[in-house]
Amino acid sequence: MLQLKRDYLNQKVLERLSTLQLHARLPMVGSVSGKHRSPIRGSSLEFAEYRKYVPGDDTRRLDWRAYARNDRYYIKEFEADTNLRMCLVVDTSGSMDFTDNGNPTGTDGETGLSKLDYARRVAGTLAYIAALQGDAVGLYCAGEAFHIEIPPKRSATHLSVVLDELGTMEASGETGLADILHETAERIPQRALIVVISDLFIEPETVRNCFEHLRFRKHDVAVFHLMEQNELDFEFDRPMRFVDMEGGEPILADPTVIGAQYRRAMEIYLESMDEVIRDTEVDYHRVQIHENYGDVLARFLLGRTPKKYK
Amino acid sequence: MSFLQPLALIALPLMALPIIIHLINQQRHRTIPWAAMMFLMRAKRMSRGMARLRHLLILLMRVLAIGALIFAISRPLSGGWLGSVGLSKPDATLILLDRSASMEMQDLQAGESKRSTALKRLAQLLEQGDYGTHLLLIDSASGQMQEVDSPKALLNLPMTGASATSANIPSMLETALAYLKANESGRAEIWICSDLNENDWDVHSGRWNAMRQAFAELDGVHHFLLAYTDPPSNNLSVRVENVQRWKRGNDAELILDVMVRTNGNSSGTRRVPIEFEVNNIQSVVEVELDTLGASLQGHRIPIDAKLSSGWGSVSLPGDANPLDNRFFFVFSEPPVRKTVVVSDDKRIGEAFRRALAIPLDPRLQHQADVIPVNRVAEIDWESTGLLIWQGALPSGLVAEQIEHFVNSGRVVMFFPPAQNAGEQLFDAHWSDWQSADGQEVAKVAWWRGDADLLAHVESGDALPLSGLRTYRYRTLESTGTPLARFDDETPLLTRVPTDHGAIYFCSTLPTAQYSSLERDGIVFYIMLQRALTEGCLTLAAAAQRDAGVGVLVDRDQWESVAPAENTASLSQRELHAGVYREGEYWVAVNRSHAEDNAKTSPVETVDALFDGLSYRRIDVDVGDTSALASELWRIFLIAMALALILEAILSLPSRKTEDTPLIDLAVADGSTE
């Protein structure tokens, strides 16, 4: 058990979730034997299938019972288990600093969390769980002013680095999520679990392109789409000056006048996102940041558990 | 529009207050950092049109509400009669009131005449506003200007009461003009109340051009015309055209020519009773009226033979104008129609005497005396109707006597002296004789056939002046009006303008060596008889006169005989219809003939008289005493309330629909197929 010094992590949540396994939905390629399926067939405890004997195969793998039954020679194939590479991609654009009541505190606590704080917790907890089960963890941050690239590795020291970076992340500037995702798709040569934690305030088609790129590279993509209740409901009763948290021009608007149009725009966006999710088959979770992140992660982990273990 | 409190309009810039507050508020809105800007911008784009329009409407309603309140406080008046939207009040307000008989046309339901309606509405308007330092009245009957204490006083002044007179609007305006020039008044308002009677306005008179130019030179004079432009309603008027008293054996009778006229729209025929009253004895005759009226010629009323003079009246049933339903007449024995011919030439004198001694009507008595110039002192001026002066123009006492003779309504005809021309008299002076040794010198090329001594006869035929041969004539230097001219433009007959009576100058003599007047006879006779008739009008003990100032000045002791209810003051009597008597003299005062033939001048013609001047015509209806200018503040208060209500409605937040939850928790599970 690692000594926890990061106050954004919750001991109770970690204890609760550490009993769950982080599984990849897709077979992973790894150099170390681990808990995750590998796409490569090899010796292992798990029987996979029979194939016909060809000269040169290891005769120790001949199945004599099959020969007795069929008078033909068959070789047994077994699943090769390997380790998981998890890359955490955290959006650090200015919009991630949005909190309930729009008051960025940047502090821990059950209330007044910003989306970035929430992302920190989710990413930190996942990193811990992955490290606990011997998987590699990497961190990529997407933001104009804050750019981190920590390739996935397996070691306690590496986890500390990841957790420290998560603790010092700040949200500012415009989003660079699309660029980071495309870069990640290219830079990570082997299959990995790419966990995207963002508010995804970019065009759905851009998101589609990113996910498709990642999926093309055979990566397992999980998305935590963070949203705040006010962003969804847009319930204000007086004209306001809305200041763009990503540095754009402020807008003076009367929510009583444009509220319906705002909610309609949001509805269209979420419908488009649903379509992207369906088409790209990513593991998508739409989360309101007032939800308990422990519950969210529990659902996430349980949802990835293979059926034979349920 | 006019305003009773124009100073309140200074607050009009406050209408910009909502806009200013809006701009200030835009800078003071609560600021909130926002992450989902992309949706906000999309929402703004989607609602740009309607939201902006709604916002503009709200601002507009607020601006209008403030504007309406300011206008309401400024107490606007409809019409704009009280001058322009400015801060200056008039120095003087002049009221020109048409008191002619036609202005007594009434609205039978309201019981108000045109005159009383106009007065009430004008008094009300002036009470509401500010008529300035001086309020002056010029009434049509007297033509005089009088200062009035207050608009209310207008309603009770004798000078604003009904009268049987005609009006002279150009004269009244000239009086107003003279006052404004003399007093160098600054801003002035002239209010004219009239029914646009053609006779009263004389729109074709050349005086209008001069007056218009004179008014144009004055600054700040505004003309307002309260006009009754509606055609007169169905109204009948009665008039006695002629009344004569004749003896018939041992009896006497009156012979009257009565005319009933119809004004306004009437169709078909109907019967109307005419009531005659003579010496308190009434009789009624029914006449059949057509669209123009009816004429009762030679109606005989028997009277006591001993009644040598008296009065009577003719009446119609009451209708829209009570003033023209009764006509007074007086009668007396016809006077001796006396002519005095002053001539030193017996032959010429005799020619005149023969022409004048023969009466047109055998029932009339004529007397023509010929006297030489040196016996002028023997003339009985009082009993003479016509003076023929064939001699040098007199001067001194005789000239004064002749002047007095004319001013008393008589007629004088001057014929040229053979020798000495004499002095200048009535701005006329004889010049040289023109002759051609017995040959025909000049023919008459033109004469006035519509009126006066040489008018066409009753049948419409012209007098045979074209056949007159003139051998000698004396040129006349005069400013008078030619009634006939020779072909060389030299006048044959000239009339000199005079207020009373008539003065004629004839350039030739009737005898053979001068002209064919005596020989041809007809023109000579008719001309002289007409002059005699005109001159003898005032000889009669009974006279018909048109109402007006000065009609009773010839005698001092006129007593009112009729109507019984005549309560007019001495100064006002001559303005009202009635019968007056002084000793053996009678006079009946009635409205003029023009008031019965009242035609309304076209409004466009009247408007054109004020071209280039500050002028406004206000059409009014008889009997309508509603305010000329009503306050409009209520309308503006209602407008303000409506604007505020609309603003409140537009400002209401949109009703929220029951939205379905935006987050589908099933999707949030991350379950994928």
Side-chain angles (χ1 to χ4, degrees):
Chain A
M1 181 69 75
L2 287 174
Q3 292 295 321
L4 298 178
K5 295 182 182 177
R6 281 90 187 173
D7 51 5
Y8 61 86
L9 292 175
N10 188 302
Q11 183 71 33
K12 287 181 184 173
V13 172
L14 289 175
E15 284 174 3
R16 176 185 159 203
L17 296 179
S18 60
T19 60
L20 301 173
Q21 300 290 318
L22 174 62
H23 295 273
R25 290 185 307 166
L26 303 174
M28 291 287 126
V29 176
S31 58
V32 179
S33 175
K35 293 182 179 175
H36 307 284
R37 287 182 301 128
S38 169
I40 300 171
R41 302 269 190 258
S43 58
S44 79
L45 297 174
E46 192 79 29
F47 170 76
E49 62 183 359
Y50 286 106
R51 69 172 172 83
K52 280 187 179 177
Y53 170 79
V54 295
D57 286 337
D58 187 357
T59 55
R60 288 176 295 179
R61 294 166 64 196
L62 282 172
D63 190 332
W64 295 110
R65 286 184 184 167
Y67 173 74
R69 282 196 298 272
N70 300 310
D71 212 16
R72 286 181 185 155
Y73 295 108
Y74 290 98
I75 292 292
K76 282 184 183 176
E77 296 277 2
F78 293 92
E79 297 283 355
D81 294 330
T82 182
N83 63 323
L84 171 70
R85 271 181 299 283
M86 183 177 73
C87 298
L88 297 164
V89 179
V90 180
D91 184 356
T92 55
S93 63
S95 61
M96 290 293 286
D97 224 1
F98 188 75
T99 65
D100 192 3
N101 297 324
N103 186 19
T105 62
T107 56
D108 282 335
E110 295 304 316
T111 59
L113 286 181
S114 69
K115 286 185 278 187
L116 185 63
D117 292 332
Y118 200 93
R120 226 191 298 274
R121 281 156 175 76
V122 169
T125 305
L126 282 175
Y128 176 79
I129 292 170
L132 199 62
Q133 63 187 41
D135 290 326
V137 177
L139 175 64
Y140 297 86
C141 292
E144 191 179 58
F146 210 84
H147 199 84
I148 298 172
E149 283 187 32
I150 303 176
K153 282 185 181 175
R154 313 171 51 245
S155 71
T157 311
H158 185 76
L159 177 62
S160 292
V161 170
V162 168
L163 293 176
D164 285 341
E165 289 297 339
L166 281 172
T168 58
M169 276 193 311
E170 288 179 4
S172 68
E174 290 183 7
T175 183
L177 183 66
D179 294 336
I180 276 289
L181 287 175
H182 285 298
E183 276 183 35
T184 305
E186 291 297 317
R187 283 188 183 182
I188 299 178
Q190 295 160 325
R191 299 179 188 189
L193 170 60
I194 310 296
V195 180
V196 180
I197 309 172
S198 169
D199 53 14
L200 292 181
F201 282 160
I202 51 178
E203 293 297 326
E205 284 307 306
T206 306
V207 173
R208 177 194 293 274
N209 291 339
C210 295
F211 289 172
E212 282 177 348
H213 192 182
L214 288 167
R215 293 290 290 124
F216 179 75
R217 289 296 189 186
K218 304 275 194 290
H219 295 301
D220 182 8
V221 181
V223 180
F224 289 92
H225 187 178
L226 304 184
M227 303 201 78
E228 201 276 328
Q229 191 65 44
N230 272 342
E231 289 172 339
L232 291 168
D233 298 338
F234 198 62
E235 284 209 10
F236 299 97
D237 58 358
R238 63 181 69 184
M240 295 225 173
R241 183 182 300 280
F242 294 91
V243 178
D244 190 352
M245 296 179 76
E246 294 191 3
E249 289 293 321
I251 292 177
L252 184 64
D254 186 352
T256 60
V257 174
I258 66 167
Q261 287 84 359
Y262 176 95
R263 285 184 282 276
R264 178 66 191 145
M266 178 65 74
E267 197 178 319
I268 293 170
Y269 164 79
L270 291 174
E271 284 171 2
S272 302
M273 285 304 295
D274 290 343
E275 197 177 316
V276 168
I277 301 314
R278 278 194 299 274
D279 293 343
T280 56
E281 295 181 347
V282 300
D283 185 8
Y284 176 83
H285 301 267
R286 190 175 294 158
V287 181
Q288 289 195 58
I289 60 174
H290 64 262
E291 289 184 65
N292 187 312
Y293 75 94
D295 295 338
V296 173
L297 284 173
R299 282 199 300 272
F300 168 70
L301 293 170
L302 286 171
R304 286 181 154 263
T305 304
K307 287 181 185 171
K308 62 182 179 182
Y309 290 125
K310 287 184 182 171
Chain B
M1 190 182 297
S2 302
F3 301 87
L4 290 177
Q5 304 288 346
L7 278 176
L9 296 173
I10 290 174
L12 272 177
L14 286 176
M15 287 172 73
L17 210 57
I19 299 171
I20 295 169
I21 291 172
H22 165 70
L23 292 173
I24 292 171
N25 270 344
Q26 281 202 323
Q27 305 302 319
R28 294 178 58 193
H29 284 314
R30 185 180 154 199
T31 301
I32 177 172
W34 191 251
M37 290 300 277
M38 57 188 270
F39 306 105
L40 194 57
M41 285 191 283
R42 275 182 204 158
K44 282 209 86 174
R45 276 198 298 272
M46 285 159 68
S47 69
R48 185 164 291 166
M50 283 309 296
R52 190 171 176 79
L53 177 66
R54 182 163 162 256
H55 186 66
L56 284 174
L57 281 174
I58 289 171
L59 266 182
L60 180 66
M61 290 302 115
R62 289 171 182 167
V63 167
L64 288 178
I66 293 176
L69 180 62
I70 294 171
F71 270 94
I73 292 171
S74 67
R75 296 180 66 191
L77 289 173
S78 63
W81 318 138
L82 287 185
S84 57
V85 179
L87 304 177
S88 62
K89 59 180 185 182
D91 294 329
T93 300
L94 291 84
I95 300 170
L96 277 56
L97 179 64
D98 181 349
R99 291 173 65 193
S100 63
S102 57
M103 284 289 280
E104 294 314 303
M105 191 78 71
Q106 285 186 1
D107 176 82
L108 293 173
Q109 281 185 335
E112 295 283 349
S113 68
K114 291 179 180 177
R115 177 192 51 81
S116 62
T117 303
L119 270 177
K120 283 184 178 171
R121 296 183 81 180
L122 191 54
Q124 194 177 30
L125 177 69
L126 293 175
E127 281 285 342
Q128 277 179 325
D130 195 337
Y131 52 84
T133 313
H134 301 286
L135 180 60
L136 302 144
L137 169 70
I138 303 172
D139 75 283
S140 64
S142 68
Q144 302 299 313
M145 178 179 291
Q146 178 182 358
E147 185 141 6
V148 181
D149 293 331
S150 69
K152 273 189 183 169
L154 283 170
L155 304 175
N156 302 315
L157 289 174
M159 301 76 181
T160 59
S163 81
T165 60
S166 293
N168 189 336
I169 304 294
S171 280
M172 294 162 74
L173 275 168
E174 283 169 349
T175 304
L177 177 64
Y179 170 85
L180 293 174
K181 280 184 170 176
N183 293 276
E184 291 183 352
S185 297
R187 194 166 169 278
E189 293 183 357
I190 299 178
W191 286 84
I192 308 166
C193 308
S194 174
D195 59 354
L196 309 187
N197 189 326
E198 268 188 0
N199 175 65
D200 300 333
W201 279 78
D202 195 13
V203 293
H204 301 294
S205 166
R207 295 156 82 181
W208 285 104
N209 276 338
M211 225 172 3
R212 187 167 49 242
Q213 284 171 11
F215 272 117
E217 290 167 10
L218 298 176
D219 287 329
V221 178
H222 304 272
H223 298 82
F224 300 95
L225 173 60
L226 273 182
Y228 291 93
T229 56
D230 287 339
S233 56
N234 206 357
N235 177 60
L236 298 177
S237 62
V238 66
R239 169 174 294 275
V240 175
E241 301 278 356
N242 188 25
V243 57
Q244 291 173 325
R245 180 193 178 281
W246 295 118
K247 266 189 180 176
R248 203 174 175 185
N250 293 327
D251 299 320
E253 63 182 6
L254 296 180
I255 300 177
L256 292 94
D257 297 333
V258 179
M259 181 70 70
V260 177
R261 288 189 197 278
T262 304
N263 285 333
N265 299 326
S266 64
S267 58
T269 60
R270 56 186 169 125
R271 297 188 72 80
V272 170
I274 303 176
E275 184 182 293
F276 293 87
E277 182 185 341
V278 178
N279 283 344
N280 298 319
I281 299 172
Q282 280 105 16
S283 59
V284 176
V285 174
E286 274 200 356
V287 294
E288 189 156 310
L289 289 181
D290 56 22
T291 52
L292 294 176
S295 173
L296 190 62
Q297 299 287 327
H299 178 70
R300 295 170 190 274
I301 301 176
I303 57 172
D304 189 347
K306 296 175 191 171
L307 192 61
S308 60
S309 62
W311 70 277
S313 71
V314 180
S315 304
L316 292 174
D319 57 13
N321 191 347
L323 226 64
D324 59 9
N325 294 336
R326 193 176 188 189
F327 197 93
F328 295 97
F329 62 88
V330 290
F331 60 89
S332 63
E333 287 181 338
V336 173
R337 293 156 64 100
K338 182 178 173 184
T339 306
V340 171
V341 181
V342 176
S343 175
D344 288 334
D345 189 320
K346 286 184 182 174
R347 176 77 184 85
I348 293 172
E350 182 59 22
F352 284 112
R353 194 197 65 79
R354 280 203 297 270
L356 287 162
I358 305 169
L360 276 170
D361 189 330
R363 293 175 291 185
L364 297 172
Q365 276 187 289
H366 279 217
Q367 178 183 335
D369 298 331
V370 181
I371 57 173
V373 175
N374 58 8
R375 287 169 57 190
V376 165
E378 298 173 15
I379 296 175
D380 180 5
W381 298 99
E382 280 293 317
S383 63
T384 303
L386 174 64
L387 174 68
I388 304 290
W389 187 280
Q390 190 270 312
L393 290 176
S395 59
L397 179 64
V398 176
E400 285 176 19
Q401 285 175 317
I402 294 175
E403 203 169 326
H404 183 77
F405 176 77
V406 170
N407 286 338
S408 66
R410 320 296 167 84
V411 176
V412 59
M413 289 189 76
F414 291 96
F415 286 82
Q419 302 295 331
N420 180 21
E423 305 293 332
Q424 179 168 293
L425 185 62
F426 301 119
D427 291 328
H429 180 259
W430 292 116
S431 186
D432 300 327
W433 279 102
Q434 309 293 323
S435 63
D437 298 325
Q439 300 296 319
E440 183 178 326
V441 173
K443 282 193 172 178
V444 179
W446 169 85
W447 67 95
R448 187 173 176 183
D450 61 328
D452 226 306
L453 299 185
L454 303 177
H456 299 336
V457 296
E458 277 187 16
S459 63
D461 295 330
L463 294 178
L465 267 161
S466 55
L468 177 68
R469 295 180 293 281
T470 307
Y471 309 108
R472 296 185 74 196
Y473 67 88
R474 197 157 189 175
T475 53
L476 179 73
E477 290 168 10
S478 167
T479 55
T481 305
L483 297 180
R485 288 196 206 99
F486 293 115
D487 48 12
D488 62 356
E489 298 297 315
T490 308
L492 165 65
L493 184 66
T494 303
R495 179 168 182 159
V496 174
T498 178
D499 291 333
H500 302 284
I503 303 167
Y504 297 95
F505 284 84
C506 184
S507 301
T508 190
L509 292 168
T511 50
Q513 67 265 39
Y514 295 97
S515 71
S516 62
L517 271 174
E518 185 191 13
R519 187 167 63 241
D520 291 344
I522 294 175
V523 174
F524 186 53
Y525 179 78
I526 290 175
M527 180 176 70
L528 292 178
Q529 289 291 328
R530 283 175 174 171
L532 178 61
T533 301
E534 188 180 344
C536 291
L537 283 175
T538 55
L539 286 182
Q544 317 284 350
R545 295 178 185 173
D546 290 338
V549 172
V551 294
L552 297 177
V553 295
D554 56 334
R555 296 186 188 276
D556 301 326
Q557 306 293 329
W558 287 111
E559 284 180 15
S560 175
V561 175
E565 66 276 14
N566 188 358
T567 55
S569 62
L570 281 172
S571 61
Q572 295 288 313
R573 279 184 188 179
E574 49 201 7
L575 308 179
H576 301 277
V579 176
Y580 304 90
R581 181 183 183 180
E582 184 188 307
E584 60 181 7
Y585 292 96
W586 297 81
V587 67
V589 176
N590 290 286
R591 66 198 179 278
S592 69
H593 203 277
E595 290 299 313
D596 288 347
N597 288 336
K599 276 186 189 175
T600 306
S601 304
V603 291
E604 299 80 18
T605 310
V606 173
D607 291 344
L609 298 174
F610 295 90
D611 273 349
L613 303 177
S614 170
Y615 162 75
R616 194 149 193 173
R617 175 170 49 83
I618 306 149
D619 294 339
V620 291
D621 295 323
V622 61
D624 180 8
T625 54
S626 59
L628 273 175
S630 52
E631 289 205 54
L632 300 175
W633 61 267
R634 289 179 190 83
I635 294 175
F636 283 98
L637 274 187
I638 291 169
M640 183 187 81
L642 283 173
L644 288 175
I645 289 169
L646 268 171
E647 189 264 351
I649 291 171
L650 287 167
S651 298
L652 283 172
S654 323
R655 193 180 298 175
K656 270 190 68 179
T657 56
E658 291 297 328
D659 291 332
T660 53
L662 288 171
I663 296 179
D664 185 345
L665 293 178
V667 178
D669 279 345
S671 56
T672 54
E673 296 298 331

